Amino acid sequence: MPATQKGAISFGLVHIPVALHTATQDNDIHFNQLCKKDGSRIKYKKVCASCGEEVGADGVVKGFEFAPGQYVTMTDADFEKAKTDKDKTIQIQHFTELSDIRPIYYDKTYHAVPETGGDKAYELLRRAMLEEGKVAIAKSVIGQSEKLLCLIPTEQGILVETLFFHDEVKAMPREPAHPELSESELQMAKTLINNMVQSFNPEEYHDEYQIRLREIIEAKITDRRLLRRQVRSRQILSILWTRWRQA
């Protein structure tokens, strides 16, 4: 699995070369858009709004609109110029408790894997954080965006969670009412909850909707193949019948 990004975890005089690998994947079934009339693929073309000609990937650049219809263009070199050496590392800002981070701030998960020469420093950081029950808050540039990060030690390695910045998190549109509850009502709810407590085993859960969807697709494929065989058989019989009559 190719690395999303290579860099280093840095704090104080410690410098740990690591590579970030995505920790999750999309297993949903994806569909193509087809023409309803004849079932052909729908194609999307990038067309210049001025000349009307199709533009290939090598003819597209990024632009920032600073006034209506006026742009300045940006190159890969411009984006790299905006980065400092500090941006190219995972710079730890401080350590904190995992419970201090509200779940709403979590965005995407990566595996941080040590590169050559970084194993011992990596293991030292992982084990020290794990035994102290701490996570690290860090910053880095991933792609073309600065990211707030949380480094979480596990029994196997270190996870890197990208976090939303505070101004990216929306407030609740309306706070629910908090009506008075009787002790008996609260106790009944707690009893129901405690009766349903069990360990979380992720391998026990599956996307059942995707499974049913795949079954429907497979059935349609089978029907299509059966129909083609039936049509082919009729064509062969028609040919044989014609030849027999001509004989």
Coordinates of all heavy atoms in Angstrom, one line a residue, residues 80-173:
E80 N 4.2 24.6 -3.0 CA 5.4 24.1 -2.2 C 6.1 25.3 -1.5 O 6.6 25.1 -0.4 CB 6.4 23.3 -3.1 CG 5.9 22.0 -3.5 CD 5.7 21.1 -2.3 OE1 6.5 21.0 -1.4 OE2 4.7 20.4 -2.3
K81 N 6.1 26.4 -2.2 CA 6.8 27.6 -1.7 C 6.1 28.1 -0.4 O 6.7 28.7 0.5 CB 6.7 28.7 -2.7 CG 7.6 29.9 -2.4 CD 7.4 31.1 -3.4 CE 7.6 30.6 -4.8 NZ 7.3 31.7 -5.8
A82 N 4.8 27.8 -0.2 CA 4.0 28.2 0.9 C 4.4 27.4 2.2 O 4.1 27.7 3.3 CB 2.5 28.2 0.7
K83 N 5.0 26.2 1.9 CA 5.3 25.3 3.0 C 6.7 25.6 3.6 O 7.6 26.0 2.9 CB 5.4 23.8 2.5 CG 4.0 23.3 2.0 CD 4.2 21.9 1.6 CE 2.9 21.3 1.0 NZ 3.0 19.9 0.5
T84 N 6.8 25.5 4.9 CA 8.1 25.6 5.5 C 8.6 24.2 5.9 O 7.9 23.3 5.8 CB 8.0 26.5 6.8 OG1 7.2 25.8 7.8 CG2 7.4 27.8 6.5
D85 N 9.9 24.1 6.3 CA 10.4 22.8 6.7 C 9.5 22.3 7.9 O 9.3 21.1 8.0 CB 11.8 22.9 7.1 CG 12.8 23.2 5.9 OD1 12.3 22.8 4.8 OD2 13.9 23.7 6.2
K86 N 9.0 23.2 8.7 CA 8.2 22.7 9.9 C 6.9 22.1 9.4 O 6.4 21.2 9.9 CB 8.0 23.9 10.8 CG 7.2 23.5 12.1 CD 7.0 24.7 13.0 CE 6.0 25.7 12.4 NZ 5.7 26.8 13.4
D87 N 6.3 22.7 8.3 CA 5.1 22.2 7.8 C 5.2 20.8 7.2 O 4.3 20.1 7.1 CB 4.6 23.1 6.6 CG 4.2 24.5 7.2 OD1 3.7 24.5 8.3 OD2 4.3 25.5 6.4
K88 N 6.4 20.4 6.8 CA 6.6 19.1 6.2 C 6.8 18.0 7.2 O 7.0 16.9 6.9 CB 7.9 19.2 5.2 CG 7.6 20.2 4.0 CD 8.9 20.3 3.2 CE 8.6 21.3 2.1 NZ 9.8 21.6 1.3
T89 N 6.9 18.4 8.5 CA 6.9 17.4 9.5 C 5.6 17.4 10.3 O 4.9 18.4 10.3 CB 8.1 17.7 10.5 OG1 7.8 19.0 11.2 CG2 9.4 17.8 9.8
I90 N 5.4 16.4 11.1 CA 4.3 16.3 12.1 C 4.8 16.9 13.4 O 5.5 16.3 14.1 CB 3.8 14.9 12.2 CG1 3.3 14.3 10.9 CG2 2.7 14.8 13.3 CD1 2.9 12.9 10.9
Q91 N 4.6 18.2 13.6 CA 5.1 19.0 14.7 C 4.2 18.9 15.9 O 3.1 19.4 15.9 CB 5.3 20.4 14.3 CG 6.2 21.2 15.2 CD 7.7 20.9 15.0 OE1 8.1 20.6 13.9 NE2 8.4 21.1 16.1
I92 N 4.7 18.1 16.9 CA 3.9 18.0 18.1 C 3.8 19.3 18.9 O 4.9 19.9 19.2 CB 4.4 16.8 19.0 CG1 4.2 15.5 18.3 CG2 3.7 16.8 20.4 CD1 4.8 14.3 19.0
Q93 N 2.6 19.7 19.2 CA 2.4 21.0 20.0 C 2.4 20.7 21.5 O 3.0 21.4 22.2 CB 1.1 21.6 19.6 CG 0.9 21.7 18.1 CD 1.8 22.8 17.4 OE1 1.8 23.9 17.8 NE2 2.6 22.4 16.4
H94 N 1.7 19.7 21.9 CA 1.6 19.3 23.3 C 1.0 18.0 23.4 O 0.5 17.4 22.4 CB 0.9 20.4 24.1 CG -0.6 20.5 23.7 ND1 -1.6 19.7 24.2 CD2 -1.2 21.3 22.8 CE1 -2.7 20.1 23.7 NE2 -2.5 21.1 22.8
F95 N 0.9 17.4 24.6 CA 0.3 16.2 24.9 C -1.0 16.4 25.8 O -1.0 17.4 26.5 CB 1.2 15.2 25.7 CG 2.4 14.8 24.8 CD1 3.6 15.6 24.9 CD2 2.4 13.7 24.0 CE1 4.7 15.2 24.1 CE2 3.5 13.4 23.2 CZ 4.6 14.1 23.3
T96 N -2.0 15.5 25.7 CA -3.2 15.7 26.4 C -3.9 14.4 26.6 O -3.4 13.3 26.2 CB -4.1 16.7 25.6 OG1 -5.2 17.1 26.4 CG2 -4.6 16.0 24.3
E97 N -5.1 14.5 27.3 CA -5.9 13.3 27.5 C -6.8 13.0 26.3 O -7.3 14.0 25.7 CB -6.8 13.5 28.7 CG -6.0 13.8 30.0 CD -5.3 12.7 30.6 OE1 -5.6 11.5 30.2 OE2 -4.3 12.9 31.4
L98 N -6.9 11.8 25.9 CA -7.8 11.5 24.8 C -9.2 11.9 25.0 O -9.9 12.4 24.1 CB -7.8 10.0 24.5 CG -8.6 9.5 23.3 CD1 -8.1 10.1 22.0 CD2 -8.6 7.9 23.2
S99 N -9.7 11.9 26.3 CA -11.0 12.2 26.6 C -11.3 13.7 26.5 O -12.4 14.2 26.5 CB -11.3 11.8 28.1 OG -10.4 12.4 29.0
D100 N -10.2 14.5 26.4 CA -10.4 16.0 26.2 C -10.8 16.4 24.8 O -11.3 17.5 24.6 CB -9.0 16.7 26.4 CG -8.7 16.8 27.9 OD1 -9.6 16.5 28.8 OD2 -7.5 17.1 28.2
I101 N -10.7 15.4 23.9 CA -11.1 15.7 22.5 C -12.5 15.2 22.2 O -12.8 14.0 22.2 CB -10.1 15.0 21.5 CG1 -8.6 15.5 21.8 CG2 -10.4 15.4 20.0 CD1 -7.6 14.7 21.1
R102 N -13.4 16.1 21.8 CA -14.7 15.7 21.5 C -14.8 15.0 20.2 O -14.1 15.4 19.2 CB -15.6 17.0 21.4 CG -15.9 17.7 22.7 CD -16.5 19.0 22.5 NE -17.8 18.9 21.7 CZ -18.3 19.9 21.0 NH1 -17.7 21.1 21.0 NH2 -19.4 19.7 20.3
P103 N -15.6 13.9 20.1 CA -15.6 13.1 18.8 C -15.9 13.9 17.6 O -15.5 13.5 16.5 CB -16.7 12.1 19.1 CG -16.7 12.0 20.6 CD -16.4 13.3 21.1
I104 N -16.6 15.0 17.7 CA -17.0 15.8 16.5 C -15.8 16.3 15.8 O -15.9 16.7 14.6 CB -18.0 16.9 16.9 CG1 -18.7 17.5 15.7 CG2 -17.2 18.0 17.7 CD1 -19.8 18.5 16.1
Y105 N -14.7 16.4 16.4 CA -13.5 17.0 15.8 C -12.7 16.0 14.9 O -11.9 16.4 14.1 CB -12.5 17.5 16.9 CG -13.0 18.9 17.4 CD1 -13.7 18.9 18.6 CD2 -12.7 20.1 16.8 CE1 -14.2 20.1 19.1 CE2 -13.1 21.3 17.3 CZ -13.9 21.3 18.5 OH -14.3 22.5 18.9
Y106 N -13.0 14.7 15.1 CA -12.3 13.7 14.3 C -12.7 13.7 12.8 O -13.9 13.8 12.5 CB -12.5 12.3 14.9 CG -11.8 12.1 16.2 CD1 -12.5 11.9 17.4 CD2 -10.4 12.1 16.3 CE1 -11.9 11.8 18.6 CE2 -9.8 11.9 17.5 CZ -10.5 11.8 18.7 OH -9.9 11.6 19.9
D107 N -11.7 13.5 11.9 CA -12.0 13.5 10.5 C -11.6 12.2 9.8 O -12.4 11.4 9.5 CB -11.4 14.7 9.9 CG -11.6 14.9 8.4 OD1 -12.6 14.3 7.9 OD2 -10.9 15.6 7.7
K108 N -10.3 12.0 9.7 CA -9.8 10.9 8.9 C -8.6 10.3 9.6 O -7.8 10.9 10.3 CB -9.3 11.3 7.5 CG -9.0 10.2 6.6 CD -8.7 10.7 5.2 CE -8.5 9.6 4.2 NZ -8.2 10.0 2.8
T109 N -8.5 8.9 9.5 CA -7.4 8.2 10.2 C -6.3 7.7 9.3 O -6.6 7.2 8.2 CB -8.1 7.0 11.0 OG1 -9.2 7.4 11.7 CG2 -7.1 6.3 11.9
Y110 N -5.1 7.8 9.8 CA -3.9 7.2 9.1 C -3.1 6.4 10.0 O -3.1 6.6 11.3 CB -3.0 8.4 8.6 CG -3.6 9.3 7.6 CD1 -4.3 10.4 7.9 CD2 -3.4 9.0 6.2 CE1 -4.8 11.2 6.9 CE2 -3.9 9.8 5.2 CZ -4.6 11.0 5.6 OH -5.2 11.8 4.7
H111 N -2.4 5.4 9.5 CA -1.4 4.6 10.2 C -0.1 5.4 10.0 O 0.3 5.7 8.9 CB -1.2 3.2 9.7 CG -2.4 2.3 10.0 ND1 -2.8 2.0 11.2 CD2 -3.3 1.7 9.1 CE1 -3.9 1.2 11.2 NE2 -4.2 1.0 9.9
A112 N 0.6 5.7 11.1 CA 2.0 6.2 11.1 C 2.9 5.1 11.2 O 2.9 4.4 12.2 CB 2.2 7.3 12.2
V113 N 3.7 4.8 10.1 CA 4.6 3.7 10.1 C 6.1 4.2 10.1 O 6.4 5.1 9.2 CB 4.4 2.8 8.8 CG1 5.3 1.6 8.8 CG2 2.9 2.3 8.8
P114 N 6.9 3.7 11.0 CA 8.3 4.3 11.0 C 9.1 3.9 9.7 O 8.9 2.8 9.2 CB 8.9 3.6 12.2 CG 8.1 2.4 12.4 CD 6.7 2.7 12.0
E115 N 9.9 4.9 9.2 CA 10.7 4.6 8.1 C 12.1 4.1 8.6 O 12.3 4.1 9.8 CB 10.9 5.9 7.3 CG 9.6 6.4 6.7 CD 9.3 5.7 5.3 OE1 8.7 4.6 5.4 OE2 9.8 6.2 4.3
T116 N 13.0 3.8 7.7 CA 14.3 3.3 8.1 C 15.0 4.2 9.1 O 15.1 5.4 8.8 CB 15.2 3.2 6.8 OG1 14.5 2.3 5.9 CG2 16.5 2.6 7.1
G117 N 15.5 3.6 10.1 CA 16.2 4.4 11.2 C 15.3 5.0 12.2 O 15.8 5.6 13.2
G118 N 14.0 4.9 12.1 CA 13.1 5.5 13.1 C 12.5 4.6 14.0 O 11.7 5.0 14.9
D119 N 12.8 3.3 14.0 CA 12.1 2.3 14.8 C 12.2 2.5 16.3 O 11.2 2.5 17.0 CB 12.6 0.9 14.4 CG 12.2 0.5 13.0 OD1 11.0 0.1 12.8 OD2 13.1 0.5 12.1
K120 N 13.4 2.8 16.8 CA 13.6 2.9 18.2 C 12.9 4.1 18.8 O 12.2 4.1 19.8 CB 15.0 2.9 18.6 CG 15.3 2.8 20.1 CD 16.7 2.4 20.5 CE 16.8 2.2 22.0 NZ 18.2 1.8 22.3
A121 N 13.1 5.3 18.1 CA 12.5 6.5 18.6 C 10.9 6.4 18.5 O 10.2 6.9 19.3 CB 13.0 7.7 17.7
Y122 N 10.4 5.7 17.4 CA 9.0 5.5 17.2 C 8.4 4.7 18.4 O 7.4 5.1 19.0 CB 8.8 4.8 15.9 CG 7.3 4.5 15.6 CD1 6.5 5.3 14.8 CD2 6.8 3.3 16.0 CE1 5.2 5.0 14.5 CE2 5.5 2.9 15.7 CZ 4.7 3.8 14.9 OH 3.4 3.5 14.6
E123 N 9.1 3.6 18.7 CA 8.7 2.7 19.8 C 8.7 3.4 21.1 O 7.9 3.2 22.0 CB 9.5 1.4 19.8 CG 9.2 0.5 20.9 CD 7.8 0.0 20.9 OE1 7.0 0.1 19.9 OE2 7.3 -0.6 22.0
L124 N 9.7 4.2 21.3 CA 9.9 5.0 22.6 C 8.7 5.9 22.8 O 8.1 6.0 23.8 CB 11.2 5.8 22.6 CG 11.5 6.5 23.9 CD1 11.7 5.6 25.0 CD2 12.8 7.3 23.7
L125 N 8.3 6.7 21.7 CA 7.2 7.6 21.7 C 5.9 6.8 22.0 O 5.1 7.2 22.8 CB 7.1 8.4 20.5 CG 5.9 9.4 20.3 CD1 6.0 10.4 21.4 CD2 5.9 10.0 19.0
R126 N 5.7 5.8 21.2 CA 4.4 5.0 21.3 C 4.2 4.4 22.7 O 3.2 4.6 23.3 CB 4.5 3.8 20.3 CG 3.2 3.0 20.3 CD 3.4 1.6 19.7 NE 4.2 0.7 20.5 CZ 3.8 0.0 21.6 NH1 2.5 0.1 21.9 NH2 4.6 -0.7 22.3
R127 N 5.3 3.8 23.2 CA 5.2 3.1 24.5 C 5.0 4.2 25.7 O 4.2 4.0 26.6 CB 6.4 2.3 24.8 CG 6.2 1.4 26.0 CD 7.2 0.3 26.1 NE 7.3 -0.3 27.4 CZ 8.1 -1.3 27.7 NH1 9.0 -1.7 26.8 NH2 8.1 -1.9 28.9
A128 N 5.8 5.3 25.6 CA 5.7 6.3 26.6 C 4.3 6.9 26.7 O 3.7 7.1 27.7 CB 6.7 7.4 26.4
M129 N 3.7 7.2 25.5 CA 2.4 7.8 25.5 C 1.3 6.8 26.0 O 0.4 7.1 26.7 CB 2.0 8.2 24.0 CG 2.6 9.5 23.6 SD 1.8 10.2 22.1 CE 2.0 8.9 20.9
L130 N 1.5 5.5 25.5 CA 0.6 4.5 25.9 C 0.6 4.3 27.4 O -0.5 4.2 28.1 CB 0.9 3.2 25.2 CG -0.2 2.0 25.3 CD1 -1.4 2.5 24.6 CD2 0.4 0.8 24.6
E131 N 1.8 4.2 28.0 CA 1.8 3.9 29.5 C 1.4 5.1 30.3 O 0.9 5.0 31.4 CB 3.3 3.5 29.8 CG 3.6 2.1 29.2 CD 5.0 1.6 29.7 OE1 5.6 2.2 30.6 OE2 5.4 0.5 29.3
E132 N 1.6 6.3 29.7 CA 1.1 7.5 30.4 C -0.3 7.9 30.1 O -0.9 8.8 30.7 CB 2.0 8.7 30.1 CG 3.4 8.6 30.6 CD 3.4 8.5 32.2 OE1 2.8 9.4 32.8 OE2 4.0 7.6 32.7
G133 N -1.0 7.1 29.2 CA -2.4 7.4 28.9 C -2.5 8.7 28.2 O -3.5 9.4 28.4
K134 N -1.6 9.2 27.3 CA -1.6 10.5 26.7 C -1.7 10.3 25.2 O -1.2 9.3 24.6 CB -0.4 11.3 27.1 CG -0.3 11.6 28.6 CD -1.5 12.6 29.0 CE -1.3 13.0 30.4 NZ -1.5 12.0 31.4
V135 N -2.2 11.4 24.5 CA -2.1 11.5 23.1 C -1.4 12.8 22.8 O -1.3 13.7 23.6 CB -3.6 11.5 22.4 CG1 -4.3 10.1 22.7 CG2 -4.4 12.6 22.9
A136 N -1.0 12.9 21.5 CA -0.3 14.1 21.1 C -1.1 15.0 20.2 O -1.7 14.4 19.3 CB 1.1 13.8 20.5
I137 N -1.1 16.3 20.4 CA -1.7 17.2 19.4 C -0.6 17.8 18.6 O 0.4 18.3 19.1 CB -2.5 18.3 20.2 CG1 -3.6 17.7 21.1 CG2 -3.1 19.3 19.2 CD1 -4.6 17.0 20.3
A138 N -0.8 17.7 17.3 CA 0.3 18.1 16.3 C -0.3 18.9 15.2 O -1.6 19.0 15.0 CB 1.0 16.9 15.8
K139 N 0.5 19.5 14.3 CA 0.1 20.2 13.1 C 1.1 19.7 12.0 O 2.2 19.5 12.2 CB 0.1 21.7 13.3 CG -0.9 22.2 14.2 CD -0.8 23.7 14.4 CE -1.4 24.4 13.1 NZ -1.4 25.9 13.3
S140 N 0.5 19.7 10.8 CA 1.3 19.4 9.6 C 0.6 19.8 8.4 O -0.7 20.1 8.4 CB 1.7 17.9 9.5 OG 2.6 17.7 8.4
V141 N 1.2 19.9 7.2 CA 0.6 20.2 6.0 C 0.5 18.8 5.2 O 1.5 18.1 5.0 CB 1.3 21.2 5.1 CG1 0.7 21.3 3.7 CG2 1.3 22.6 5.7
I142 N -0.8 18.4 4.9 CA -1.0 17.2 4.1 C -1.7 17.6 2.8 O -2.7 18.3 2.8 CB -1.9 16.2 4.9 CG1 -1.3 15.8 6.2 CG2 -2.3 15.0 4.0 CD1 -2.1 14.9 7.0
G143 N -1.0 17.3 1.7 CA -1.5 17.8 0.4 C -1.3 19.3 0.4 O -0.2 19.8 0.5
Q144 N -2.4 20.0 0.2 CA -2.3 21.5 0.2 C -3.0 22.2 1.3 O -3.5 23.3 1.2 CB -2.8 21.9 -1.2 CG -2.0 21.5 -2.4 CD -2.6 21.7 -3.7 OE1 -3.7 22.2 -3.8 NE2 -1.9 21.4 -4.8
S145 N -3.2 21.5 2.4 CA -3.9 22.0 3.5 C -3.2 21.7 4.8 O -2.7 20.6 5.0 CB -5.3 21.4 3.6 OG -6.1 21.6 2.4
E146 N -3.1 22.7 5.7 CA -2.6 22.5 7.0 C -3.6 21.7 7.9 O -4.8 22.1 7.8 CB -2.3 23.8 7.7 CG -1.6 23.6 9.1 CD -1.1 24.9 9.7 OE1 -2.0 25.8 10.0 OE2 0.1 25.1 9.9
K147 N -3.2 20.7 8.6 CA -4.1 19.9 9.3 C -3.7 19.9 10.8 O -2.5 19.9 11.2 CB -4.0 18.4 8.8 CG -4.5 18.3 7.4 CD -5.9 18.5 7.2 CE -6.4 18.1 5.8 NZ -7.8 18.4 5.6
L148 N -4.7 19.9 11.6 CA -4.6 19.7 13.1 C -4.7 18.2 13.3 O -5.5 17.5 12.7 CB -5.7 20.4 13.8 CG -5.6 20.4 15.4 CD1 -4.3 21.1 15.9 CD2 -6.8 21.0 16.0
L149 N -3.7 17.6 14.0 CA -3.6 16.2 14.1 C -3.7 15.7 15.6 O -3.3 16.5 16.5 CB -2.3 15.7 13.5 CG -2.0 16.1 12.1 CD1 -0.6 15.7 11.7 CD2 -3.0 15.5 11.1
C150 N -4.1 14.5 15.8 CA -4.0 13.8 17.1 C -3.3 12.5 16.9 O -3.7 11.7 16.1 CB -5.4 13.6 17.7 SG -5.4 12.7 19.2
L151 N -2.2 12.3 17.6 CA -1.4 11.0 17.5 C -1.9 10.2 18.7 O -1.7 10.5 19.8 CB 0.1 11.3 17.6 CG 0.8 11.8 16.3 CD1 0.2 13.0 15.7 CD2 2.3 11.9 16.5
I152 N -2.4 9.0 18.3 CA -3.0 8.1 19.3 C -2.2 6.8 19.4 O -2.1 6.1 18.4 CB -4.5 7.8 19.0 CG1 -5.3 9.1 18.9 CG2 -5.1 6.9 20.1 CD1 -6.7 8.9 18.4
P153 N -1.5 6.5 20.5 CA -0.8 5.2 20.6 C -1.7 4.0 20.7 O -2.8 4.1 21.4 CB 0.0 5.4 21.9 CG -0.8 6.3 22.7 CD -1.5 7.2 21.8
T154 N -1.4 2.9 20.1 CA -2.2 1.7 20.2 C -1.2 0.6 20.6 O 0.0 0.8 20.7 CB -2.9 1.3 18.9 OG1 -1.9 0.9 17.9 CG2 -3.7 2.5 18.4
E155 N -1.7 -0.6 20.8 CA -0.8 -1.8 21.1 C 0.1 -2.1 19.9 O 1.1 -2.7 20.1 CB -1.7 -3.0 21.5 CG -2.4 -2.8 22.8 CD -1.5 -2.7 24.0 OE1 -0.3 -3.2 23.9 OE2 -1.9 -2.2 25.0
Q156 N -0.4 -1.8 18.7 CA 0.4 -2.1 17.5 C 1.3 -1.0 17.0 O 2.4 -1.2 16.5 CB -0.5 -2.6 16.4 CG -1.2 -3.9 16.6 CD -2.4 -3.7 17.6 OE1 -3.1 -2.7 17.6 NE2 -2.6 -4.8 18.4
G157 N 0.8 0.3 17.1 CA 1.6 1.4 16.5 C 1.0 2.7 17.0 O 0.5 2.9 18.1
I158 N 1.0 3.7 16.0 CA 0.5 5.0 16.3 C -0.5 5.4 15.2 O -0.1 5.3 14.0 CB 1.6 6.1 16.4 CG1 2.6 5.8 17.6 CG2 1.1 7.5 16.5 CD1 3.8 6.7 17.6
L159 N -1.7 5.8 15.6 CA -2.7 6.3 14.7 C -2.5 7.8 14.6 O -2.3 8.5 15.6 CB -4.1 5.9 15.1 CG -4.4 4.4 15.1 CD1 -5.9 4.2 15.6 CD2 -4.3 3.8 13.7
V160 N -2.7 8.3 13.4 CA -2.7 9.8 13.2 C -4.1 10.2 12.8 O -4.6 9.8 11.7 CB -1.7 10.3 12.2 CG1 -1.8 11.8 12.0 CG2 -0.3 10.0 12.7
E161 N -4.9 10.9 13.6 CA -6.2 11.4 13.3 C -6.1 12.8 12.8 O -5.6 13.6 13.6 CB -7.1 11.3 14.5 CG -8.0 10.3 14.9 CD -8.9 9.5 13.9 OE1 -9.5 10.2 13.1 OE2 -9.0 8.4 14.1
T162 N -6.7 13.1 11.7 CA -6.8 14.5 11.3 C -8.0 15.1 12.1 O -9.1 14.4 12.2 CB -7.0 14.7 9.8 OG1 -8.2 14.1 9.4 CG2 -5.8 14.2 9.0
L163 N -7.9 16.3 12.6 CA -9.0 16.9 13.3 C -9.5 18.2 12.6 O -8.7 18.8 11.9 CB -8.5 17.4 14.7 CG -7.9 16.3 15.6 CD1 -7.3 16.9 16.9 CD2 -8.9 15.2 16.0
F164 N -10.7 18.5 12.7 CA -11.3 19.7 12.2 C -10.8 20.8 13.1 O -10.7 20.7 14.3 CB -12.8 19.7 12.2 CG -13.4 18.8 11.2 CD1 -14.0 17.6 11.5 CD2 -13.4 19.1 9.8 CE1 -14.6 16.7 10.6 CE2 -13.9 18.3 8.9 CZ -14.5 17.1 9.2
F165 N -10.5 22.0 12.5 CA -10.2 23.2 13.3 C -11.6 23.6 13.9 O -12.6 23.3 13.4 CB -9.6 24.3 12.5 CG -8.2 24.0 12.1 CD1 -7.9 23.6 10.8 CD2 -7.2 24.2 13.0 CE1 -6.5 23.3 10.5 CE2 -5.8 24.0 12.7 CZ -5.5 23.5 11.4
H166 N -11.4 24.4 15.0 CA -12.6 24.8 15.8 C -13.6 25.6 14.9 O -14.8 25.4 15.0 CB -12.2 25.7 16.9 CG -13.4 26.2 17.8 ND1 -14.2 25.3 18.5 CD2 -13.9 27.4 17.9 CE1 -15.1 26.0 19.1 NE2 -15.0 27.3 18.7
D167 N -13.1 26.4 14.0 CA -14.0 27.2 13.1 C -14.7 26.4 12.0 O -15.5 26.9 11.3 CB -13.3 28.4 12.6 CG -12.1 28.1 11.7 OD1 -11.8 26.9 11.5 OD2 -11.5 29.0 11.2
E168 N -14.3 25.1 11.9 CA -14.9 24.2 10.9 C -16.0 23.4 11.5 O -16.7 22.8 10.7 CB -13.8 23.3 10.3 CG -12.7 24.0 9.5 CD -11.7 23.0 9.0 OE1 -11.1 22.2 9.8 OE2 -11.4 23.0 7.8
V169 N -16.1 23.4 12.8 CA -17.2 22.6 13.4 C -18.4 23.5 13.6 O -18.3 24.6 14.3 CB -16.7 22.1 14.8 CG1 -17.8 21.3 15.5 CG2 -15.5 21.2 14.6
K170 N -19.5 23.0 13.1 CA -20.8 23.8 13.2 C -21.4 23.5 14.6 O -21.4 22.4 15.2 CB -21.8 23.3 12.2 CG -21.4 23.6 10.8 CD -22.5 23.2 9.8 CE -22.2 23.5 8.4 NZ -23.2 23.1 7.4
A171 N -22.0 24.6 15.1 CA -22.8 24.5 16.4 C -24.1 23.8 16.1 O -24.6 23.7 15.0 CB -23.0 25.9 17.0
M172 N -24.6 23.1 17.2 CA -25.9 22.5 17.1 C -27.0 23.5 16.7 O -27.0 24.6 17.3 CB -26.3 21.8 18.4 CG -27.5 21.0 18.3 SD -27.9 20.2 19.9 CE -26.6 19.0 20.0
P173 N -27.8 23.3 15.7 CA -28.7 24.3 15.2 C -29.7 24.7 16.3 O -30.2 25.8 16.3 CB -29.4 23.6 14.0 CG -29.2 22.2 14.2 CD -27.8 22.1 14.8

